[in-house]
Amino acid sequence: MRQIWQIFLAVLLGAQTAVADIDVPIIYLKQDQDRPPILSNLDTIPDNLGIAGAQLGLAGNLTTGGFLGHSYTLDIRTVPIGGDLVAAAIQALSDSPLLILDTPAADLLTIADLAQAKDALLFNVAAPAQALRNTDCRANLLHTLPSLTMRADALMQFIRFKRWDSLAMVTGAHPGDIAFAEALRSSATKFGLKIATEKSWIFDADMRRNAAQEVPLFTQDLGKYDLLLIADELHDFGRYIAYNTWTPRPVAGSEGLVPTAWAPVVEQWGAAQLQSRFHDQSNRTMHATDYAAWAAIRTLGEAVTRTSTADPVTLRSFILSDKFELAGFKGRPLSYRTWNGQMRQPIPLVTARALVAQAPLPGYLHQRTELDTLGLDAPESGCTAFQ
Amino acid sequence: MKPLATALILLASPLTAAEIWVTNEKDDTISVIDIDTLDVTRTIPTGERPRGITFSKDFSRVYICASNSDTVQVMDPETGKILHDLPSGEDPEQFVLHPNDRHLYIANEDDAVTTVVDTETRKVIAQINVGIEPEGMAVSPDGKIAITTSETTNMAHWIDTDTRQIVANTLVDARPRHAEFTANGSELWVSSEIGGTITVFDVATHAEKAKLDFAVKGVHPDRVQPVGFEFTEDEKTAFVALGPSNHVAVVNAETYEVEDYILVGRRVWHMAFSPDKSLLFTTNGVSGDVTVIDVAKREAIKTIKVGRFPWGAAFRP
């Protein structure tokens, strides 16, 4: 009787939701990285950053898949510093065409260009570099982490909205700081703002002890400004600047008001549910990289659910189609840009304790979707691999 | 006899004017709105984070999902006193009372479970594993099928109320929020907040029969997010709350076409009709108020300030 019922159901529901067993193996490949020392001893970077997000995404996929006969596995492979990432990638690609990549930008390109990766579907969850979404894009590489430009645009929309027209910036010396500073500069131009003065953070003194003495002097010659931008993506010195500037002004960028893909203070649009599930699972708060990894796994889950296949080529074309939508707890459906594979998403602007605003802000219009006011739009994109 | 009865009702009416009960999610209270005066006449304290609200058949008890207290509270609507708590499973968000007036089907949002509670014995009689973040709850008019929709799994789960087993799972668009059967039980409607649609199922076959789209002028489709909805008495019209688009859609339930959009408060969520279904009260979460809609004219006629984040609404005759 049960069997008849199942057949009856399968006939009724047709191909769209037919009950068919599908196995979806996903591999999370992480390259361990050196992290330069920073002034504060308070920060701990979780060992399972990103991985925990992927695990939560897997739990979601398994629940949905359980009702449809779809099973998912997540195989986590970590390459130590100095290890052979390429060999690990080749092995991973021979085991599954669905890879979540948590590696530096250069390694992403090496992996995406492997012959074995030709028909694979790769997700970048950790590298924010603009070039990966621009001239260095690859057709088999999608990005769930927002680019530096998307984050910078989100902040500049807010600054413009507040009419804080005059800006100053302090930039650290690490490559990540310099890249974010560059994104902030281009974005300021895009939104008609000007960064009037800039200084590089050159101190090698211990700011935990003497920020109160040094920062006022350091910021005294920045002139008149409404807001001080800080490009300090390692979170080395930026935290000591707020409240110690010569002129009392708010700070934003890497510290103060921060544009980020995700933060523990995001709670609207059902996000509190995701935060609490994450905390129950991993006993810590959810970071942007966790969110990107979660979104990548859920993207695969959503695509498998709707297409009833694990074939990477079919999944990719569905993910890039206008039929794809992911409920990502940010109040609007998430989708992918067809010109460079970047996941469209709202960008929260947060302080340590609250969501201040969420970009795109009201009033920034776009003919396709306001989400495309953040980051590289089709006409500006130098990516040709998706054509 | 009949004129006398009418006279008695007329005499009695000032004392027992119909009311709309609104749960205020961020105030831990219920605001009681008098339908004649359209004013808040009482504010009643509840457990933590009250959301779903429904009355027993004879309106002698009101059930309240006190989500953060992990319980369903049973209140005497006359006195506002809590009579007792029901075991509900963790984080009860929304529920539906079975036509037998006895079994509550409860969506446990944080637990991916639907809990069935016997309100007489005050015991949990079944827990059914469903998708992640269950929310929308409905039961067919004949009481044979209960529906749970799960927000993150994007499904309507069809539960046989005799065996308390899932008999079918049907996919809908992203983030389903609310489910209702039509009065004759032939159709099931499910709203999808992020998908921006309502899917209409043929109950007999579980097959998708229609899909409703919404378009509010001047609002990007991403922000048109259908959540709660209700049918008029004649079943010919459905009113659909469209969340952050701040509008309620008026849908022709026979042609599935949207006939009108009514501007209401911010982030409109759920709604309840007055007993004669001439007025509709919508809960507007972000603006913290209730919009009163004249159903015949399809116009908003008044805004009533209630508590913070009004969520559920139910009428009491």
Side-chain angles (χ1 to χ4, degrees), chain A residues 5 9 12 17 60 63-64 67-68 269-270 273 276-277 298 302 305-306 325 329 331-333 368-370, chain B residues 91 109-110 130-133 152-155 157 166-167 169 171-175 194-195 205 220 222 225:
Chain A
W5 176 238
L9 254 185
L12 268 182
T17 53
T63 308
T64 307
F67 295 109
L68 297 168
W269 311 288
Q273 256 50 255
S276 91
R277 279 205 301 279
R298 286 289 300 121
E302 191 60 27
T305 299
R306 304 289 172 181
E325 57 182 12
F329 301 92
R332 314 174 72 132
R368 190 181 306 104
T369 160
E370 291 136 34
Chain B
D91 194 20
E109 187 179 30
D110 243 3
V130 292
I132 295 176
E133 290 175 41
T152 296
T153 301
N154 303 327
M155 280 180 183
H157 307 282
I166 292 177
V167 293
N169 301 289
L171 281 170
V172 293
D173 287 334
R175 223 167 156 73
I194 291 292
T205 61
H220 190 273
D222 283 2
Q225 302 182 350

Side-chain angles (χ1 to χ4, degrees), chain B residues 122-150:
Chain B
R122 302 180 197 173
K123 288 204 163 71
V124 171
I125 52 176
Q127 286 205 308
I128 302 138
N129 288 324
V130 292
I132 295 176
E133 290 175 41
E135 171 158 342
M137 296 297 306
V139 64
S140 59
D142 64 7
K144 286 185 176 158
I145 308 163
I147 299 288
T148 300
T149 65
S150 44

Side-chain angles (χ1 to χ4, degrees), chain A residues 117-202:
Chain A
K118 188 174 164 289
D119 288 324
L121 187 52
L122 316 174
F123 286 86
N124 163 29
V125 300
Q130 174 73 323
L132 294 169
R133 286 87 171 161
N134 199 7
T135 45
D136 282 350
C137 72
R138 297 292 186 271
N140 54 358
L141 181 62
L142 307 182
H143 313 270
T144 51
L145 191 75
S147 63
L148 291 174
T149 311
M150 289 168 74
R151 290 177 51 216
D153 286 351
L155 180 59
M156 290 302 163
Q157 284 193 356
F158 181 77
I159 292 171
R160 177 83 210 182
F161 172 76
K162 301 294 283 184
R163 299 186 182 277
W164 292 337
D165 294 337
S166 174
L167 305 171
M169 179 157 72
V170 177
T171 306
H174 292 284
D177 306 342
I178 291 163
F180 188 41
E182 186 48 45
L184 288 169
R185 272 182 220 112
S186 329
S187 182
T189 308
K190 176 174 169 182
F191 289 99
L193 297 160
K194 191 165 166 47
I195 303 175
T197 41
E198 285 195 39
K199 285 188 89 169
S200 295
W201 184 256
I202 40 148

Side-chain angles (χ1 to χ4, degrees), chain B residues 212-240:
Chain B
L212 284 66
D213 279 308
F214 303 89
V216 181
K217 204 176 172 192
V219 181
H220 190 273
D222 283 2
R223 300 185 63 78
V224 179
Q225 302 182 350
V227 277
F229 59 90
E230 294 289 335
F231 295 102
T232 52
E233 190 73 63
D234 60 9
E235 293 283 314
K236 285 184 178 153
T237 310
F239 285 81
V240 182

